[in-house]
Amino acid sequence: MIFKRQKPRLTPITKTDVVKRLLDLAVVKVGNSDKAVIVFFDLKCPFCARLFKETEEILVDMAKRGLVTFAMCDYVVHKEAEPLHRKLRCLSEKERLKLISDVYSGKRVDAGECPEGNLRECEKAAEEVGVYGTPTILFYNFAKGRGYIHFGYMPPSDVLDAISSL
């Protein structure tokens, strides 16, 4: 029996104000475009790590070329990840992607003592658009006032297809 690969399930979303707020709250934000890709992640989530390793370079490059705004919003599922998420808020914006990369590469990272910052606000806003786990990817076109949300891991080719469909 041959199994066909299913297309990703994209749930429509039209909450422009909440998506803008999520971009403001995002711990990582690269680029400035009318199309946004927001990844909701947990630093202890293995599928988030896989998604990051496979798509981060592509999405950052697209953001630097003005094709998308790439953002990452915390959505802590594993409580042991919370100190690392707090640490992100103690770092400069330029250092945050490196910390995420180090954690997902298995490097030992000292979380230290950092305040919570806007971590809970990010999670509450995420829930307003229906996020309930990680990874979740939100694709949004501000010019059209609509987008899509995908729950779970997504291969890089499907991420690019979803961006193209915006």
Side-chain angles (χ1 to χ4, degrees):
M1 180 183 283
I2 297 175
F3 293 99
K4 278 187 171 181
R5 189 169 151 237
Q6 290 185 332
K7 290 190 179 230
R9 292 172 61 192
L10 298 172
T11 303
I13 181 171
T14 57
K15 295 187 175 187
T16 300
D17 291 341
V18 179
V19 177
K20 284 181 180 176
R21 191 161 21 110
L22 284 165
L23 284 176
D24 290 339
L25 293 169
V27 72
V28 170
K29 183 179 171 190
V30 181
N32 187 15
S33 172
D34 63 341
K35 294 180 180 178
V37 178
I38 305 174
V39 177
F40 299 92
F41 73 106
D42 179 312
L43 287 167
K44 292 293 184 179
C45 163
F47 286 102
C48 297
R50 180 177 174 192
L51 179 69
F52 181 84
K53 290 174 189 175
E54 293 177 359
T55 63
E56 181 257 346
E57 192 174 307
I58 297 164
L59 292 172
V60 167
D61 179 63
M62 289 178 76
K64 287 181 178 177
R65 291 188 291 136
L67 302 173
V68 297
T69 301
F70 170 56
M72 296 182 73
C73 260
D74 315 82
Y75 193 82
V76 180
V77 176
H78 301 89
K79 289 300 173 198
E80 63 273 16
E82 191 168 313
L84 292 169
H85 283 272
R86 288 176 182 229
K87 177 161 181 121
L88 283 172
R89 284 156 176 71
C90 289
L91 300 174
S92 71
E93 285 187 36
K94 292 180 181 181
E95 297 174 299
R96 293 174 182 175
L97 277 174
K98 182 177 178 346
L99 178 97
I100 294 167
S101 180
D102 287 349
V103 170
Y104 285 152
S105 297
K107 293 182 182 170
R108 182 153 169 73
V109 175
D110 179 30
E113 292 293 321
C114 292
E116 190 172 281
N118 65 356
L119 180 60
R120 298 292 169 236
E121 290 175 55
C122 211
E123 290 175 350
K124 285 177 188 167
E127 289 170 356
E128 286 182 52
V129 294
V131 174
Y132 58 85
T134 60
T136 297
I137 311 168
L138 190 149
F139 303 92
Y140 206 82
N141 186 327
F142 289 103
K144 294 180 179 177
R146 64 180 168 82
Y148 305 97
I149 194 163
H150 175 77
F151 305 100
Y153 168 80
M154 195 178 209
S157 60
D158 289 349
V159 170
L160 295 174
D161 288 346
I163 292 169
S164 295
S165 74
L166 290 174

